[in-house]
Amino acid sequence: MTELRDILHQRHHELAASLRHADEFDETAAVRSVKVHRRGRAIVMGSSSLATATVLAAGAWLLLTSGEPDIAPAIAPSPSVSASPSPTPTPSASVTPSPEPVSYEGRNPGMSDGEAFYRAEHPATGEVWLDEPVAVDAPDGLQGDTAWWEVGTRAGATILAGGSFGGFIMVEVAADGEMSEVVSPFPHDPAASEGWTDLAAADTYYDSLALPATWTSADGIELDLRDHANYAYGMGTERLNLLCDGCTELDVERVAALGSSHAVRVVDGGSGTVTEDDGATSWAVASGGRVVAVAYALELPFGPMMPLWADPVGTRAALRAVAEYDKYGFVSNDVPVYGELQDRFCGPDLDWAALGIDEDPTDWVETTLYGDLAVHRATADNPLTGPYYEGLGEYYPARVEGLSLDEYASEPAIVGAPAADGSGWWIEIRQDYSLRLGC
């Protein structure tokens, strides 16, 4: 090891001597550079990075001289350079700025659920809703069959809400009496230029009405909260009575992230009789009381409830991919349409879903609709199939003429999907094989 070290030392010395007269290594300049660095070292003794530069400069001097340097301390380790330097803040800790407060302004049709949650809980648009809406007379020029309530205030203006068969209306009345219609109150809706009234359409929106795009209920139904009906059911204590005759509230499920800003109310229509004008057997009678009607409504923070479109079996979403529609919005090509057992397509009704109870899985057979939608069809032995087939033959014989019970079941006439929470089966019927055909 000693001989190897001597050989390496000799080569190092010879290399330094050979470079001494090279053009790239001017000795005078090198000495000047060392002196400059030496003065800099005296000024910034506390800096470990410059102290290291001084050591390197002294190393260069050793290469340019055959003897020992004039000032030995120049190559001695600086007190600021040690084997274990004091820890310094990491760059990320020293340069990362403090997070700015979240701020959302303006309409945003593509807002994320996170933005909707934040806006609803931290409204920046100034609205203050009353605990209970107050019934008021119709504003001047807006008399008609619409009932009106005072529901809140914003920037000195009074907010009124009205509801009728035609739609849901919101109006702001300024302190000087000037009125404007709030055509698109939801911040995730684009601004509309026309409303229900002849009032000027104000580009006003309320952050507290921001909604997430989707929400899954406890019974496994994914609801598109932004796709709601443009009308509302009553306010105050009359809300449930306006939903349907004899409805009872099953449950109130709040959107947890929105706190008290919104609620999705589940309504049970029961299995009461719904009779056609021509005396047709009702859906409830045909189902033998084994099916209940369930509806979902979005409760706004100032009282009214707006119907939500439920699609528990998935037929509505699948139909969109294969259907062609006429100018009235009805399917115009030869594609079967499925709806819940009541088949309510008209009128200011909630979008009901039929939940079958006490279903026997052996009464259902796996099948597909619209090419790839996985569902189950009710067999001919299913307790629902026979009553619906017989009722159709009694009241609308032309629709089952030449069609056997097995063929009716195999079309399929009745389809379903198990509820996610195990409470039963969501059930739908092919429209042209139901006891009710539309309205």
Side-chain angles (χ1 to χ4, degrees), residues 38-131:
R38 193 173 290 162
R39 285 195 299 271
R41 172 175 171 266
I43 295 172
V44 292
M45 182 66 71
S47 170
S48 61
S49 60
L50 291 180
T52 302
T54 306
V55 172
L56 293 176
W61 173 258
L62 282 175
L63 290 175
L64 297 174
T65 59
S66 58
E68 294 293 324
D70 293 337
I71 304 177
I75 62 172
S78 169
S80 63
V81 179
S82 63
S84 301
S86 299
T88 57
T90 61
S92 61
S94 58
V95 301
T96 301
S98 300
E100 294 293 329
V102 177
S103 176
Y104 298 111
E105 296 181 1
R107 294 184 178 276
N108 182 9
M111 73 169 58
S112 65
D113 285 359
E115 179 179 342
F117 292 153
Y118 187 88
R119 285 200 188 203
E121 289 299 324
H122 306 84
T125 43
E127 66 274 13
V128 177
W129 306 114
L130 301 181
D131 293 335

Side-chain angles (χ1 to χ4, degrees), residues 215 217 219 223 225 233 236 239-241 243 247-255 262-268 294-300 303-308 350 352:
W215 176 71
S217 68
D219 50 16
L223 300 169
L225 299 187
Y233 290 96
R239 285 176 297 182
L240 284 177
N241 292 335
L243 288 170
C247 283
T248 57
E249 181 183 347
L250 286 182
D251 196 10
V252 176
E253 298 169 338
R254 296 199 174 274
V255 183
H262 297 287
V264 173
R265 192 175 293 267
V266 182
V267 180
D268 171 24
V294 179
Y296 299 85
L298 172 68
E299 184 177 10
L300 299 183
M305 290 192 288
M306 309 188 81
L308 294 171
L350 287 173
W352 298 95

Side-chain angles (χ1 to χ4, degrees), residues 110-316:
M111 73 169 58
S112 65
D113 285 359
E115 179 179 342
F117 292 153
Y118 187 88
R119 285 200 188 203
E121 289 299 324
H122 306 84
T125 43
E127 66 274 13
V128 177
W129 306 114
L130 301 181
D131 293 335
E132 287 289 339
V134 178
V136 296
D137 294 334
D140 291 341
L142 297 180
Q143 286 81 5
D145 62 353
T146 300
W148 289 90
W149 292 267
E150 179 180 340
V151 296
T153 60
R154 186 188 71 86
T158 300
I159 306 174
L160 304 180
S164 69
F165 180 82
F168 178 65
I169 308 170
M170 296 194 75
V171 170
E172 284 198 0
V173 183
D176 60 2
E178 183 177 354
M179 296 189 296
S180 59
E181 183 178 352
V182 183
V183 179
S184 300
F186 298 91
H188 40 70
D189 286 342
S193 58
E194 295 183 3
W196 293 93
T197 72
D198 293 329
L199 299 176
D203 186 19
T204 301
Y205 63 88
Y206 306 114
D207 276 343
S208 60
L209 299 187
L211 295 165
T214 58
W215 176 71
T216 302
S217 68
D219 50 16
I221 301 300
E222 185 176 276
L223 300 169
D224 185 344
L225 299 187
R226 299 179 189 175
D227 182 19
H228 47 73
N230 191 34
Y231 50 84
Y233 290 96
M235 301 189 193
T237 58
E238 299 180 347
R239 285 176 297 182
L240 284 177
N241 292 335
L242 292 176
L243 288 170
C244 66
D245 254 349
C247 283
T248 57
E249 181 183 347
L250 286 182
D251 196 10
V252 176
E253 298 169 338
R254 296 199 174 274
V255 183
L258 295 181
S260 59
S261 298
H262 297 287
V264 173
R265 192 175 293 267
V266 182
V267 180
D268 171 24
S271 55
T273 299
V274 181
T275 305
E276 292 288 294
D277 291 340
D278 59 7
T281 304
S282 74
W283 75 277
V285 172
S287 67
R290 298 173 60 251
V291 178
V292 295
V294 179
Y296 299 85
L298 172 68
E299 184 177 10
L300 299 183
F302 50 91
M305 290 192 288
M306 309 188 81
L308 294 171
W309 310 129
D311 186 19
V313 182
T315 55
R316 179 173 297 170

